[in-house]
Amino acid sequence: MQTAADAGDAATLLAAVPAGRRVALVDPRFVGHVHALRLGLTDPRFPAAAVPGALTAQPEARGALLRALRRTTAAVGAGAPVVDPDADPAPEDRTVPGRIAVALEAEGIAVQRPALGSLVAAVPTDPEQQAAAEAGLASVDDEAVRLRGAVKAHDGFFTTYGISPYSRYIARWCARRGLTPNQVTTASLITALVAAGAAATGTRSGYVAAGILLLVSFVLDCTDGQLARYSLQYSTMGAWLDATFDRAKEYAYYAGLAIGAVRGGDGDDVWALALGAMVLQACRHVVDFSFNEANHDAVANTSPTAALSDKLDSVGWTVWARRMIVLPIGERWAMIAVLTALTTPRIVFYALLVGCSLAACYTTAGRLLRSLTRRAHRTDRAARALADLADSGPLARAVAAVAPGLPGAFTAPATALLGTLVMIGAALFLPYGSWLTVAAAAVYALLSGLAVARPLKGALDWLVPPFFRAGEYVTILVLAARSDVPHAVPAAFGLVSAVAYHHYDTVYRIRGGTGAPPQWLVRTIGGHEGRTALVAVLAAVLTHASGFTTALTALAVAVALVVLVESIRFWVSSSAPAVHDEGELA
């Protein structure tokens, strides 16, 4: 920390700081809570941030900071205003850091101004203001504010009332001992894997231990995000870990339950149910992701359905009822844990399939109504995101390149739905191993290409990616289940897990503003239509042969290796977004 005599001296001192470091400019008269400064000066997600009387700049904004500081110094020396008073975004902050922040924004640098709420951050200019600032400082416990701010807003009922009241204190305990969110996330994953191992024993004591450990894992899962918000430790690695470990934990636990069911006294094979639960959950999520991306740039929701939703949100009990209906992760994991301890894996999966199906119907129906009744313009960015989420491979892209786009407002989702129904219907009802199923896969690839031949800007075009996910995942499930080949369904479980990881990875890259995975990756793993066609060919060539399990396993390993290597390379690179995922309710 160094003290500058004036703005010119501050520019000299800042210029001497090594280029790769963050710098901060704080008015010496600053009066405020420590947490207010922490929010303004230590959040790594933004190139520049400011609170009244303080400004920080990351290395990428250092050059602009120095230029702004010199321009501001020259303007003040000449008696000229730093900014047009009518366009001043922070007219109450007349300090040097405040004026520099305005100058940075004028140069195109986004300056984050965190909401301080009851926290005090001020630069008093007279005794009255000084007294008011000190009174505000004394009346607010900034540690209590910091703890409240560590809890994610709009969480589920079970998480809000069953976990967060004490997990925030665990987060503080971790922060005071130097633990990082990534370490807590890893502990949550390890605990869930141990829970899966306990479930795999197939014994009642193993099931009870698994249920308890799953809840402990969820507590740690909440704690890692609260620790990140409490200590403002957002990182690229944290974004990747938090974005993928929830799915890894849940799918590993499903596998543990399926293994335990087979090893238990009844020898119950529930692998198809486990894969069905995973497919349903993945399809639910892609509906959420696609709908949100399609409306990412919408400035307002003119839908009467949205107005009704807002009205319901004004009634307290309906907020929690609607959050519980969608079976969010807290409620879902609590249900899984309790049913594991008290019942059987088959009952756990039945409950999951029924509960998630009802939740999917509720959320999808609401989104359909919103989309059909709102007046909104779909942007190029939204269309690009939906095209990336579609995960079209070489076959579909080749069709899209030569085929004219089909006219009509709803032709894209209708075409995607038709292709999905053809593919799933063939897998379900044609004789297993029939080459007609391969022909259906060719039709699926053709219709998939036609569906994405035009930009996805229609009111219901966000349904295209979910239809493709259902087409691929359900086809793999059905063909593996109908093969009557030992271990084919567990191999299919591994394949769908690997592909689902790729699809979640795509979502979080888009959310971070860095775009979808590179096209070479999508081409290498075939796209959704290519993988579906390959599985159909394998089923026809290796009909009722053990080689089908081997082929599915090899395909799963190949996809997982390619996807994981590229994903790890991206998330640990400098281009990855430094955000801590807030997670989905579901």
mmCIF file of all heavy atoms in Angstrom, residues 143-166:
data_model
loop_
_atom_site.group_PDB
_atom_site.id
_atom_site.type_symbol
_atom_site.label_atom_id
_atom_site.label_comp_id
_atom_site.label_asym_id
_atom_site.label_seq_id
_atom_site.Cartn_x
_atom_site.Cartn_y
_atom_site.Cartn_z
ATOM 1 N N GLU A 143 -20.171 -8.525 9.069
ATOM 2 C CA GLU A 143 -19.963 -9.970 9.030
ATOM 3 C C GLU A 143 -21.297 -10.695 8.835
ATOM 4 O O GLU A 143 -21.380 -11.693 8.102
ATOM 5 C CB GLU A 143 -19.285 -10.447 10.315
ATOM 6 C CG GLU A 143 -19.058 -11.949 10.391
ATOM 7 C CD GLU A 143 -18.178 -12.484 9.272
ATOM 8 O OE1 GLU A 143 -17.426 -11.697 8.652
ATOM 9 O OE2 GLU A 143 -18.245 -13.701 9.003
ATOM 10 N N ALA A 144 -22.350 -10.184 9.477
ATOM 11 C CA ALA A 144 -23.673 -10.774 9.275
ATOM 12 C C ALA A 144 -24.133 -10.579 7.835
ATOM 13 O O ALA A 144 -24.720 -11.483 7.223
ATOM 14 C CB ALA A 144 -24.676 -10.150 10.242
ATOM 15 N N VAL A 145 -23.859 -9.393 7.273
ATOM 16 C CA VAL A 145 -24.205 -9.140 5.876
ATOM 17 C C VAL A 145 -23.417 -10.069 4.968
ATOM 18 O O VAL A 145 -23.940 -10.629 4.000
ATOM 19 C CB VAL A 145 -23.920 -7.664 5.509
ATOM 20 C CG1 VAL A 145 -24.115 -7.436 4.016
ATOM 21 C CG2 VAL A 145 -24.812 -6.741 6.310
ATOM 22 N N ARG A 146 -22.151 -10.268 5.294
ATOM 23 C CA ARG A 146 -21.301 -11.143 4.482
ATOM 24 C C ARG A 146 -21.815 -12.574 4.509
ATOM 25 O O ARG A 146 -21.837 -13.261 3.475
ATOM 26 C CB ARG A 146 -19.875 -11.073 5.022
ATOM 27 C CG ARG A 146 -18.838 -11.768 4.161
ATOM 28 C CD ARG A 146 -17.462 -11.668 4.811
ATOM 29 N NE ARG A 146 -16.439 -12.273 3.987
ATOM 30 C CZ ARG A 146 -15.188 -12.484 4.369
ATOM 31 N NH1 ARG A 146 -14.809 -12.094 5.587
ATOM 32 N NH2 ARG A 146 -14.310 -13.062 3.563
ATOM 33 N N LEU A 147 -22.246 -13.035 5.672
ATOM 34 C CA LEU A 147 -22.779 -14.390 5.778
ATOM 35 C C LEU A 147 -24.077 -14.534 4.999
ATOM 36 O O LEU A 147 -24.300 -15.538 4.304
ATOM 37 C CB LEU A 147 -23.013 -14.750 7.242
ATOM 38 C CG LEU A 147 -21.821 -15.321 8.014
ATOM 39 C CD1 LEU A 147 -22.172 -15.459 9.485
ATOM 40 C CD2 LEU A 147 -21.393 -16.663 7.440
ATOM 41 N N ARG A 148 -24.957 -13.542 5.089
ATOM 42 C CA ARG A 148 -26.209 -13.601 4.322
ATOM 43 C C ARG A 148 -25.927 -13.596 2.831
ATOM 44 O O ARG A 148 -26.575 -14.295 2.057
ATOM 45 C CB ARG A 148 -27.113 -12.426 4.697
ATOM 46 C CG ARG A 148 -27.758 -12.535 6.066
ATOM 47 C CD ARG A 148 -28.943 -11.582 6.187
ATOM 48 N NE ARG A 148 -28.533 -10.190 5.982
ATOM 49 C CZ ARG A 148 -28.126 -9.370 6.938
ATOM 50 N NH1 ARG A 148 -28.051 -9.823 8.193
ATOM 51 N NH2 ARG A 148 -27.788 -8.123 6.681
ATOM 52 N N GLY A 149 -24.948 -12.792 2.420
ATOM 53 C CA GLY A 149 -24.615 -12.715 1.005
ATOM 54 C C GLY A 149 -23.975 -13.975 0.459
ATOM 55 O O GLY A 149 -23.927 -14.174 -0.755
ATOM 56 N N ALA A 150 -23.479 -14.833 1.358
ATOM 57 C CA ALA A 150 -22.867 -16.077 0.899
ATOM 58 C C ALA A 150 -23.896 -17.081 0.408
ATOM 59 O O ALA A 150 -23.566 -18.005 -0.338
ATOM 60 C CB ALA A 150 -22.046 -16.699 2.035
ATOM 61 N N VAL A 151 -25.148 -16.904 0.827
ATOM 62 C CA VAL A 151 -26.206 -17.842 0.460
ATOM 63 C C VAL A 151 -26.809 -17.425 -0.876
ATOM 64 O O VAL A 151 -27.167 -16.270 -1.072
ATOM 65 C CB VAL A 151 -27.294 -17.890 1.546
ATOM 66 C CG1 VAL A 151 -28.430 -18.804 1.127
ATOM 67 C CG2 VAL A 151 -26.682 -18.360 2.867
ATOM 68 N N LYS A 152 -26.925 -18.378 -1.773
ATOM 69 C CA LYS A 152 -27.472 -18.104 -3.099
ATOM 70 C C LYS A 152 -28.937 -17.706 -3.006
ATOM 71 O O LYS A 152 -29.722 -18.325 -2.278
ATOM 72 C CB LYS A 152 -27.330 -19.345 -3.983
ATOM 73 C CG LYS A 152 -27.780 -19.147 -5.412
ATOM 74 C CD LYS A 152 -27.480 -20.370 -6.255
ATOM 75 C CE LYS A 152 -28.328 -21.548 -5.872
ATOM 76 N NZ LYS A 152 -28.067 -22.720 -6.742
ATOM 77 N N ALA A 153 -29.299 -16.667 -3.728
ATOM 78 C CA ALA A 153 -30.702 -16.246 -3.776
ATOM 79 C C ALA A 153 -31.511 -17.230 -4.606
ATOM 80 O O ALA A 153 -30.991 -17.927 -5.473
ATOM 81 C CB ALA A 153 -30.797 -14.840 -4.373
ATOM 82 N N HIS A 154 -32.800 -17.304 -4.338
ATOM 83 C CA HIS A 154 -33.747 -18.103 -5.125
ATOM 84 C C HIS A 154 -33.407 -19.586 -5.100
ATOM 85 O O HIS A 154 -33.468 -20.272 -6.121
ATOM 86 C CB HIS A 154 -33.818 -17.604 -6.566
ATOM 87 C CG HIS A 154 -34.031 -16.128 -6.692
ATOM 88 N ND1 HIS A 154 -35.141 -15.491 -6.176
ATOM 89 C CD2 HIS A 154 -33.264 -15.157 -7.251
ATOM 90 C CE1 HIS A 154 -35.056 -14.203 -6.420
ATOM 91 N NE2 HIS A 154 -33.929 -13.967 -7.062
ATOM 92 N N ASP A 155 -33.018 -20.090 -3.935
ATOM 93 C CA ASP A 155 -32.734 -21.514 -3.816
ATOM 94 C C ASP A 155 -34.022 -22.275 -3.513
ATOM 95 O O ASP A 155 -35.073 -21.686 -3.258
ATOM 96 C CB ASP A 155 -31.705 -21.749 -2.710
ATOM 97 C CG ASP A 155 -30.541 -22.580 -3.188
ATOM 98 O OD1 ASP A 155 -30.757 -23.414 -4.091
ATOM 99 O OD2 ASP A 155 -29.426 -22.402 -2.689
ATOM 100 N N GLY A 156 -33.917 -23.614 -3.531
ATOM 101 C CA GLY A 156 -35.068 -24.437 -3.224
ATOM 102 C C GLY A 156 -35.420 -24.415 -1.744
ATOM 103 O O GLY A 156 -34.633 -23.968 -0.899
ATOM 104 N N PHE A 157 -36.592 -24.956 -1.421
ATOM 105 C CA PHE A 157 -37.089 -24.924 -0.047
ATOM 106 C C PHE A 157 -36.174 -25.718 0.885
ATOM 107 O O PHE A 157 -35.779 -25.237 1.954
ATOM 108 C CB PHE A 157 -38.508 -25.492 0.007
ATOM 109 C CG PHE A 157 -39.124 -25.472 1.379
ATOM 110 C CD1 PHE A 157 -39.787 -24.345 1.837
ATOM 111 C CD2 PHE A 157 -39.034 -26.573 2.217
ATOM 112 C CE1 PHE A 157 -40.350 -24.322 3.117
ATOM 113 C CE2 PHE A 157 -39.590 -26.565 3.483
ATOM 114 C CZ PHE A 157 -40.244 -25.438 3.940
ATOM 115 N N PHE A 158 -35.831 -26.938 0.502
ATOM 116 C CA PHE A 158 -35.000 -27.776 1.371
ATOM 117 C C PHE A 158 -33.626 -27.151 1.579
ATOM 118 O O PHE A 158 -33.109 -27.134 2.699
ATOM 119 C CB PHE A 158 -34.854 -29.178 0.762
ATOM 120 C CG PHE A 158 -33.947 -30.076 1.547
ATOM 121 C CD1 PHE A 158 -34.360 -30.625 2.740
ATOM 122 C CD2 PHE A 158 -32.675 -30.379 1.082
ATOM 123 C CE1 PHE A 158 -33.518 -31.452 3.483
ATOM 124 C CE2 PHE A 158 -31.830 -31.206 1.802
ATOM 125 C CZ PHE A 158 -32.254 -31.752 3.001
ATOM 126 N N THR A 159 -33.047 -26.617 0.510
ATOM 127 C CA THR A 159 -31.727 -25.999 0.638
ATOM 128 C C THR A 159 -31.793 -24.753 1.512
ATOM 129 O O THR A 159 -30.934 -24.524 2.371
ATOM 130 C CB THR A 159 -31.173 -25.636 -0.746
ATOM 131 O OG1 THR A 159 -31.155 -26.806 -1.557
ATOM 132 C CG2 THR A 159 -29.772 -25.069 -0.645
ATOM 133 N N THR A 160 -32.832 -23.934 1.300
ATOM 134 C CA THR A 160 -32.954 -22.676 2.044
ATOM 135 C C THR A 160 -33.147 -22.907 3.531
ATOM 136 O O THR A 160 -32.529 -22.231 4.363
ATOM 137 C CB THR A 160 -34.125 -21.853 1.481
ATOM 138 O OG1 THR A 160 -33.866 -21.554 0.102
ATOM 139 C CG2 THR A 160 -34.299 -20.552 2.244
ATOM 140 N N TYR A 161 -33.998 -23.873 3.890
ATOM 141 C CA TYR A 161 -34.346 -24.051 5.295
ATOM 142 C C TYR A 161 -33.682 -25.266 5.950
ATOM 143 O O TYR A 161 -33.598 -25.328 7.184
ATOM 144 C CB TYR A 161 -35.860 -24.164 5.449
ATOM 145 C CG TYR A 161 -36.570 -22.868 5.121
ATOM 146 C CD1 TYR A 161 -37.250 -22.713 3.919
ATOM 147 C CD2 TYR A 161 -36.533 -21.796 6.004
ATOM 148 C CE1 TYR A 161 -37.882 -21.512 3.605
ATOM 149 C CE2 TYR A 161 -37.162 -20.606 5.701
ATOM 150 C CZ TYR A 161 -37.834 -20.467 4.498
ATOM 151 O OH TYR A 161 -38.462 -19.284 4.196
ATOM 152 N N GLY A 162 -33.205 -26.196 5.140
ATOM 153 C CA GLY A 162 -32.606 -27.396 5.708
ATOM 154 C C GLY A 162 -31.093 -27.435 5.648
ATOM 155 O O GLY A 162 -30.467 -28.217 6.369
ATOM 156 N N ILE A 163 -30.477 -26.619 4.787
ATOM 157 C CA ILE A 163 -29.030 -26.682 4.605
ATOM 158 C C ILE A 163 -28.359 -25.337 4.902
ATOM 159 O O ILE A 163 -27.444 -25.241 5.720
ATOM 160 C CB ILE A 163 -28.668 -27.126 3.169
ATOM 161 C CG1 ILE A 163 -29.332 -28.470 2.841
ATOM 162 C CG2 ILE A 163 -27.157 -27.204 3.001
ATOM 163 C CD1 ILE A 163 -28.857 -29.623 3.683
ATOM 164 N N SER A 164 -28.814 -24.274 4.241
ATOM 165 C CA SER A 164 -28.121 -22.983 4.319
ATOM 166 C C SER A 164 -28.036 -22.379 5.713
ATOM 167 O O SER A 164 -27.064 -21.668 6.002
ATOM 168 C CB SER A 164 -28.786 -21.980 3.359
ATOM 169 O OG SER A 164 -28.573 -22.390 2.023
ATOM 170 N N PRO A 165 -29.009 -22.596 6.614
ATOM 171 C CA PRO A 165 -28.873 -21.988 7.943
ATOM 172 C C PRO A 165 -27.597 -22.380 8.674
ATOM 173 O O PRO A 165 -27.128 -21.631 9.535
ATOM 174 C CB PRO A 165 -30.126 -22.493 8.682
ATOM 175 C CG PRO A 165 -31.134 -22.683 7.592
ATOM 176 C CD PRO A 165 -30.341 -23.209 6.427
ATOM 177 N N TYR A 166 -27.026 -23.552 8.372
ATOM 178 C CA TYR A 166 -25.770 -23.926 9.037
ATOM 179 C C TYR A 166 -24.601 -24.075 8.072
ATOM 180 O O TYR A 166 -23.444 -23.931 8.466
ATOM 181 C CB TYR A 166 -25.950 -25.220 9.844
ATOM 182 C CG TYR A 166 -26.429 -26.409 9.058
ATOM 183 C CD1 TYR A 166 -25.530 -27.243 8.405
ATOM 184 C CD2 TYR A 166 -27.782 -26.711 8.961
ATOM 185 C CE1 TYR A 166 -25.958 -28.343 7.688
ATOM 186 C CE2 TYR A 166 -28.223 -27.803 8.238
ATOM 187 C CZ TYR A 166 -27.311 -28.622 7.608
ATOM 188 O OH TYR A 166 -27.742 -29.701 6.886
#
